[in-house]
Amino acid sequence: MNFNKLAIAAGLAGVCVASGAHAATLDDVKARGQLRCGINTGIPGFAFTDSAGNWQGFDVALCKAVAAAIFGEPNVEYVSLTGKTRFTALASGEVDMLSRNTTWTYSRDTDLKLDFAGVNYYDGQGFIVSKELGVASASELDGATICIQTGTTTELNLADYFRANNMSYEPVPIETETEAKEKFLANACDVYTTDASGLAATRSSYPNPGDYMILPEIISKEPLGPAVRHGDSEWGDIVRWSLNALIVAEEKGITAENVKEMASAAGDDPEVNRLLGTEGEYGAMMGLDQDWAVNAIAATGNYGEIFDTFLGPDTEIGLERGLNALYTDGGILYAPPFR
Amino acid sequence: MSDTHAETVAYVAKTQYDPQPPPVASSGVLGWLTQNLFSSISNTIVTVLAIALIIYMLPGMIEWAVLHSVWNAESIRECREIITNAFGEGATGACWAVIHERFGQFMYGYYPPSLRWRPDLAAVLLIVAMVPVLFRTMRPLAVAMGVLLAAKALFAVYAELTGGNAELVGPTTIAAVIFGVLALVFGSEKTRPYWLWLTFAYPVAAYFLLWGGLGLETVESSRFGGFLLTAVIGVTGIAGSLPLGILLALGRRSNLPILKAICTIFIEFIRGVPLITLLFVASTLLNYFLPPGTNFNIVLRVLIMVTLFASAYMAEVIRGGLAALPKGQYEAADALGLDYWQSMRLIILPQALKISIPGIVNTFIGLFKDTTLVSIIALQDPLGLMKPILSNSTWNGIVWELYIFIAFMFFICCFAMSRYSMFLETRLRAADRR
């Protein structure tokens, strides 16, 4: 993180000079004919490669949706970024947007000069234990040995949680996900803690996933979302409303399959009509085509479809919607209205 | 006189004895064992421990890597299922199927499959370009091309048997045949200068083959990955760092103060900074300093940084060789009336470089392995490719198989370099004795 700050500080002068050129990201993207999208170098469910070498995943789908909103088809050049390079790559203009499980925090929004265009996944830190341990809740973890990745916010969250609940624990510091798996499976620690989506993915890779359970407690807030640079609100709007379009599409029952049909003529629901461009001139307000949302939804499906494809109960990862359900289904996904 | 003592001596040898074999304990297998493995108590203890360790570890390793291994499966779960069904509950085995499925990615990264003949052809031409530099005649080239064609034929047969299809006659095959025949016919030492022209032309040819241009479809460098990327970075770094290193070393020993200062500062700066820092500069900071909108290719940036980094180390290795030469050699060159470049080219450098060979090759090997650091700035070298592969829930859970495969591939390359260095040292030492 310090390196990021340093790099950004060192480059600020350059950015100031260059800010004129970055002002209209949409024009740059259109001229290039491709959206440069920063993604993770690999995280189960969110960004991974298939056997043909194509990027897939929950975060990747958002890149495709934004690109489809602009071009009509998902023309994306994926730039995989590590935790260390992601913010500088965005600030220096190497990528147009980040869609890389980045937690929306105060200091990132202000100090690092990012603009978060919404939240596409509400994550939080959780615990996984072996069923043999006989523990049903995190409040019973007093005195447990816990595998924890060092130097992360999860480490701090864990300390806070145990102190607040007057419990003690013995940390087993580990460096990587792989090491965590080996240690946890070898019973070197009773509990492993990281983001809940990561726990689900890790569990799916165990030889006997059924022997382990994720505890119901979530001890931190990790709202993950796409981010763009400060200083180009028009571009931020495009990313924000591409994401919102996917969420509204689920709310209104628009899917990748029926979107073309629904967009062919104006229907009964005025908001659907505005979204799909059969009523009003809503695409032009962002400098996009009238059918931008149609293309975005057709490219990836609505939010629910994306979730089910990469993270949902039918996948190996098997995550429930939980907080990420629509507000009408008991979750907190709530897109502002299209009007 | 001689008869005087005939009775006092019990036995006198009258004839030459046939040579006897040495005692059993000092020759043959037993002799080798006693001399090398059991020569002293401490040696015996070490030997026994080592053998015990091997006996303890080897069966498990062979069982895991060979006997219980699975080569064809759709996912890690299928692998585990096959192993459990065949060898019982709790058996573990290697799931090489992941290598089988992702072999193309490990070799070429995300290079478009329809264009993969281009890196292949570049690899064949690389051999053509390397042989004149590495050997005196072109015969090794003919051998290499023969081996290549044989391997290709074998692969085609294998593909035919397993139902796949491999095209037998492609650009690589044609190039291999042409250069193999050329090497056979015009492979003598005299033609070497002509072959060297091919070597000098190679970087241009490789650039157009890999990146496109001249009518070839352009390939984005973000599609480069796997061992292709390793080879591009490694070969460029190696080929660029030697001449740059020589110039830097000469500059540092030069009598021109400004030139000397520049070279010294450059070498000391680069050697004082970790490669990973330079890579970060290449990947992020450089963007700020270049005019906005410049699309300065990330692979190109990394190539420049790696070459500069290696050349600083190379300069110091060669400076060591220069310093090891007796002063008389320099004076002799001056006395012959040679100018600076003539004396360097004809007298000093041939000797200095010969002394430096182990150090040079050491730097090469180090550089080649350092290319894996680019995975930290998210280039998709073999190590960088592991993460997206393992993030696919089809293979999530596999670890060792990929590391072992990558280590094996690196070992082949580095071991080859090391053996060539030893071959070269032997050949040049023979010249010393002459």
Side-chain angles (χ1 to χ4, degrees):
Chain A
M1 189 53 60
N2 285 333
F3 180 82
N4 286 321
K5 279 186 186 167
L6 181 73
I8 290 175
L12 259 184
V15 168
C16 288
V17 176
S19 57
H22 286 315
T25 311
L26 179 60
D27 295 340
D28 290 350
V29 172
K30 277 184 172 166
R32 198 189 302 127
Q34 262 186 333
L35 171 75
R36 285 221 194 97
C37 194
I39 53 171
N40 198 302
T41 51
I43 176 167
F46 290 86
F48 56 88
T49 52
D50 61 17
S51 57
N54 300 316
W55 285 97
Q56 304 279 353
F58 187 77
D59 281 342
V60 174
L62 187 59
C63 299
K64 285 184 186 167
V66 173
I70 299 168
F71 299 112
E73 50 190 63
N75 292 339
V76 192
E77 184 190 340
Y78 299 104
V79 181
S80 45
L81 299 169
T82 61
K84 291 187 176 65
T85 56
R86 54 181 165 179
F87 299 128
T88 33
L90 181 65
S92 67
E94 194 166 340
V95 296
D96 305 310
M97 62 177 281
L98 273 186
S99 179
R100 191 200 171 282
N101 60 306
T102 303
T103 307
W104 185 353
T105 67
Y106 169 80
S107 59
R108 283 174 181 171
D109 205 335
T110 55
D111 195 25
L112 281 183
K113 307 224 179 301
L114 305 182
D115 269 350
F116 283 86
V119 175
N120 67 341
Y121 190 87
Y122 290 94
D123 214 339
Q125 189 175 342
F127 302 96
I128 187 169
V129 295
S130 165
K131 279 183 180 164
E132 285 173 14
L133 204 61
V135 170
S137 152
S139 57
E140 300 167 31
L141 287 178
D142 196 10
T145 52
I146 301 182
C147 278
I148 176 102
Q149 264 176 290
T150 53
T152 60
T153 49
T154 50
E155 199 179 11
L156 307 173
N157 295 336
L158 181 72
D160 287 354
Y161 178 77
F162 273 73
R163 202 177 53 204
N165 288 285
N166 259 330
M167 298 193 295
S168 67
Y169 68 100
E170 194 182 324
V172 179
I174 46 125
E175 277 300 321
T176 64
E177 182 78 35
T178 314
E179 189 188 344
K181 197 186 95 184
E182 303 272 317
K183 279 237 168 78
F184 181 62
L185 289 182
N187 283 329
C189 45
D190 305 324
V191 188
Y192 173 50
T193 176
T194 187
D195 285 351
S197 62
L199 287 181
T202 300
R203 186 176 70 163
S204 72
S205 75
Y206 293 168
N208 302 308
D211 295 352
Y212 302 90
M213 62 180 285
I214 296 171
L215 297 179
E217 282 84 357
I218 297 293
I219 64 167
S220 73
K221 291 191 286 188
E222 310 279 347
L224 311 178
V228 296
R229 276 182 297 276
H230 257 195
D232 188 352
S233 303
E234 288 78 11
W235 175 247
D237 288 343
I238 291 174
V239 178
R240 176 175 303 113
W241 284 96
S242 298
L243 173 59
N244 285 340
L246 300 181
I247 296 171
V248 171
E250 185 185 9
E251 198 181 323
K252 301 289 180 187
I254 309 168
T255 64
E257 241 170 63
N258 68 17
V259 63
K260 296 277 182 202
E261 190 193 322
M262 289 179 82
S264 58
D268 300 333
D269 189 333
E271 189 171 2
V272 171
N273 293 345
R274 286 192 289 269
L275 174 67
L276 300 183
T278 49
E279 195 180 307
E281 294 287 328
Y282 283 80
M285 293 179 192
M286 288 201 298
L288 297 180
D289 296 338
Q290 188 68 1
D291 55 354
W292 66 276
V294 179
N295 295 327
I297 297 163
T300 59
N302 64 39
Y303 183 90
E305 289 178 279
I306 299 172
F307 194 99
D308 289 341
T309 311
F310 298 112
L311 304 172
D314 295 338
T315 64
E316 294 297 338
I317 294 172
L319 283 170
E320 296 295 334
R321 286 293 287 269
L323 280 183
N324 297 294
L326 295 172
Y327 73 104
T328 49
D329 300 336
I332 57 174
L333 276 193
Y334 185 99
F338 271 83
R339 86 165 38 253
Chain B
M1 192 69 176
S2 61
D3 288 345
T4 324
H5 295 288
E7 291 80 33
T8 60
V9 182
Y11 174 74
V12 174
K14 297 265 172 51
T15 56
Q16 179 84 40
Y17 275 93
D18 290 336
Q20 296 289 310
V24 184
S26 67
S27 74
V29 178
L30 202 60
W32 186 87
L33 283 178
T34 44
Q35 276 167 26
N36 293 293
L37 298 183
F38 301 100
S39 62
S40 65
I41 294 173
S42 56
N43 194 350
T44 308
I45 293 172
V46 171
T47 304
V48 170
L49 282 180
I51 290 176
L53 195 67
I54 292 173
I55 291 175
Y56 173 70
M57 291 179 64
L58 206 58
M61 280 161 67
I62 290 178
E63 184 182 273
W64 180 83
V66 183
L67 299 178
H68 286 188
S69 66
V70 177
W71 289 83
N72 279 304
E74 293 296 315
S75 72
I76 181 170
R77 278 164 293 277
E78 196 186 329
C79 266
R80 284 173 178 160
E81 209 171 287
I82 293 173
I83 293 165
T84 309
N85 288 343
F87 306 104
E89 195 67 41
T92 56
C95 185
W96 300 115
V98 61
I99 310 282
H100 191 241
E101 188 198 275
R102 299 295 178 113
F103 189 75
Q105 269 179 48
F106 272 116
M107 286 296 138
Y108 307 98
Y110 308 128
Y111 211 88
S114 58
L115 301 178
R116 283 182 182 170
W117 62 270
R118 278 160 46 178
D120 285 344
L121 184 59
V124 172
L125 294 182
L126 177 66
I127 301 174
V128 176
M130 268 164 42
V131 168
V133 181
L134 300 183
F135 300 97
R136 281 185 183 144
T137 71
M138 286 300 113
R139 245 163 263 129
L141 179 61
V143 175
M145 293 298 135
V147 171
L148 190 77
L149 288 173
K152 216 151 179 206
L154 269 179
F155 187 71
V157 169
Y158 169 79
E160 195 67 38
L161 287 178
T162 53
N165 59 330
E167 54 176 322
L168 192 54
V169 183
T172 43
T173 330
I174 297 168
V177 170
I178 291 176
F179 284 108
V181 171
L182 278 178
L184 273 182
V185 180
F186 304 104
S188 71
E189 214 172 324
K190 279 179 199 159
T191 60
R192 194 165 154 227
Y194 303 107
W195 286 93
L196 278 172
W197 283 112
L198 289 180
T199 309
F200 288 121
Y202 178 73
V204 181
Y207 175 84
F208 285 116
L209 270 178
L210 294 177
W211 270 276
L214 294 181
L216 291 169
E217 194 182 325
T218 315
V219 177
E220 293 284 332
S221 54
S222 60
R223 299 201 145 261
F224 281 57
F227 285 103
L228 169 63
L229 186 66
T230 304
V232 168
I233 298 174
V235 171
T236 313
I238 285 172
S241 67
L242 188 59
L244 257 181
I246 292 175
L247 290 180
L248 282 170
L250 291 178
R252 194 169 182 178
R253 288 175 62 87
S254 155
N255 296 324
L256 309 172
I258 294 178
L259 184 69
K260 182 173 177 170
I262 291 175
C263 290
T264 310
I265 291 171
F266 176 84
I267 292 172
E268 292 304 331
F269 172 73
I270 298 268
R271 289 208 309 162
V273 177
L275 177 58
I276 191 71
T277 312
L278 291 177
L279 290 177
F280 272 123
V281 169
S283 98
T284 58
L285 277 184
L286 220 54
N287 273 350
Y288 291 116
F289 303 136
L290 293 167
T294 330
N295 185 10
F296 193 18
N297 198 306
I298 177 76
V299 173
L300 199 59
R301 279 181 267 159
V302 166
L303 282 180
I304 293 171
M305 283 300 179
V306 168
T307 308
L308 291 183
F309 184 80
S311 63
Y313 279 84
M314 193 59 68
E316 287 302 281
V317 168
I318 291 166
R319 194 170 67 94
L322 290 172
L325 280 194
K327 204 164 174 243
Q329 295 292 329
Y330 292 88
E331 290 167 351
D334 289 343
L336 285 171
L338 301 177
D339 68 19
Y340 178 79
W341 289 110
Q342 281 175 327
S343 71
M344 285 301 144
R345 189 167 60 83
L346 298 171
I347 307 233
I348 306 299
L349 280 179
Q351 301 184 70
L353 289 180
K354 191 174 83 178
I355 301 172
S356 319
I357 286 173
I360 291 175
V361 176
N362 205 19
T363 312
F364 283 169
I365 293 177
L367 164 69
F368 192 72
K369 290 192 290 190
D370 279 351
T371 57
T372 51
L373 284 178
V374 300
S375 64
I376 294 175
I377 55 166
L379 287 186
Q380 304 287 320
D381 87 312
L383 280 184
L385 276 171
M386 275 181 62
K387 234 187 139 189
I389 294 176
L390 294 186
S391 300
N392 192 324
S393 52
T394 318
W395 299 116
N396 191 356
I398 283 180
V399 181
W400 294 108
E401 290 85 340
L402 297 176
Y403 276 121
I404 290 171
F405 171 69
I406 294 168
F408 178 72
M409 298 296 282
F410 268 95
F411 177 79
I412 291 177
C413 297
C414 295
F415 188 67
M417 280 194 257
S418 159
R419 297 311 292 189
Y420 174 75
S421 141
M422 289 170 73
F423 156 80
L424 198 61
E425 281 169 52
T426 321
R427 194 176 86 184
L428 294 175
R429 213 178 307 130
D432 267 350
R433 284 200 297 271
R434 199 152 56 197

